[in-house]
C-alpha cells in the first residue's frame, strides 16, 4: 500500500486527478482546455477484491476519484464459486485474485468510485463478430445497472 500511496502523491504533485467523465468532457471540448492544467484519470480493470482491501482505503483517505471497469462474468462466477472464468488470468496474476461481489461494487460506488462496464467475459473484442462484441458490452452494462 505504501507504493500506491507514493505513486498517488507523485501524481498529485504534478497533475490534477479528475474523474474519467470529466477527462472525456475536456477531450471532447478540445485540446485548448488542457493548457489550463495537466490532468490524469485513474481507472482499474476487471474488478478484483484488491480494490476493496488495498486501493479504496487510500483513495478514500486522499479523496481521489477513480473508475472501475467491471468484468461482470467474473463477479457472477465468483458468487457461484466457479473459478473457471479466471483461468485466463492465471499466467498474469501474481496472486490468487478474487472477483468483487455486488455488495463490494456497491460499497465502492458509495465511496465515490465510478463504475463502468468492461465486458462480460474479458474476451478479445477485436477477434469477435460485431453482434457478439455488442452483446459482451451491452449485457455487461445492463448487469451493472441491474445491481
Amino acid at each position: 500500500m505504501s507504493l500506491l500511496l507514493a505513486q498517488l502523491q507523485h501524481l498529485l504533485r504534478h497533475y490534477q486527478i479528475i474523474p474519467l467523465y470529466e477527462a472525456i468532457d475536456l477531450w471532447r471540448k478540445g485540446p485548448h482546455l488542457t493548457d489550463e492544467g495537466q490532468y490524469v484519470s485513474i481507472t482499474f480493470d476487471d474488478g478484483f477484491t484488491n480494490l476493496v482491501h488495498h486501493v479504496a482505503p487510500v483513495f478514500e483517505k486522499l479523496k481521489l476519484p477513480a473508475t472501475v471497469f467491471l468484468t461482470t462474468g467474473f463477479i457472477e462466477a465468483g458468487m457461484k464459486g466457479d473459478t473457471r472464468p479466471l483461468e485466463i488470468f492465471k499466467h498474469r496474476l501474481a496472486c490468487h485474485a478474487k472477483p468483487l461481489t455486488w455488495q463490494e461494487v456497491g460499497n465502492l460506488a458509495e465511496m465515490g468510485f465510478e463504475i463502468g462496464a468492461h465486458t462480460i467475459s474479458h474476451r478479445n473484442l477485436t477477434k469477435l463478430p460485431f453482434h457478439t462484441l455488442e452483446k459482451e458490452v451491452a449485457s455487461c452494462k445492463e448487469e451493472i445497472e441491474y445491481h
Side-chain angles (χ1 to χ4, degrees):
M1 183 164 29
S2 61
L3 178 59
L4 174 62
L5 184 59
Q7 291 170 333
L8 292 172
Q9 289 171 334
H10 172 80
L11 287 173
L12 286 167
R13 280 192 298 275
H14 301 283
Y15 303 95
Q16 182 179 349
I17 299 175
I18 61 174
L20 183 59
Y21 69 88
E22 285 184 25
I24 292 169
D25 286 345
L26 283 173
W27 178 79
R28 285 182 177 152
K29 291 176 183 173
H32 64 280
L33 290 177
T34 59
D35 293 340
E36 297 173 15
Q38 294 197 18
Y39 305 98
V40 66
S41 293
I42 299 172
T43 65
F44 297 94
D45 269 6
D46 307 327
F48 293 112
T49 56
N50 60 345
L51 284 170
V52 172
H53 302 297
H54 303 292
V55 175
V58 177
F59 274 69
E60 187 174 43
K61 179 180 179 180
L62 297 175
K63 296 182 178 21
L64 294 178
T67 302
V68 179
F69 289 100
L70 300 176
T71 304
T72 56
F74 292 172
I75 296 171
E76 293 299 317
M79 293 180 73
K80 295 174 187 168
D82 182 4
T83 60
R84 287 176 296 160
L86 296 175
E87 295 296 319
I88 61 170
F89 284 105
K90 275 193 172 180
H91 67 283
R92 289 195 277 171
L93 294 174
C95 64
H96 296 289
K98 293 181 181 175
L100 293 167
T101 64
W102 287 115
Q103 182 175 346
E104 290 168 327
V105 171
N107 292 345
L108 288 170
E110 287 176 10
M111 292 172 67
F113 281 76
E114 182 179 11
I115 307 298
H118 188 297
T119 55
I120 296 170
S121 64
H122 208 288
R123 294 168 68 186
N124 184 341
L125 299 180
T126 64
K127 298 183 190 252
L128 297 178
F130 182 76
H131 71 278
T132 306
L133 179 153
E134 189 175 46
K135 182 179 179 189
E136 277 283 324
V137 176
S139 295
C140 179
K141 183 178 184 299
E142 290 169 7
E143 187 73 22
I144 292 168
E145 290 170 351
Y146 173 77
H147 288 280

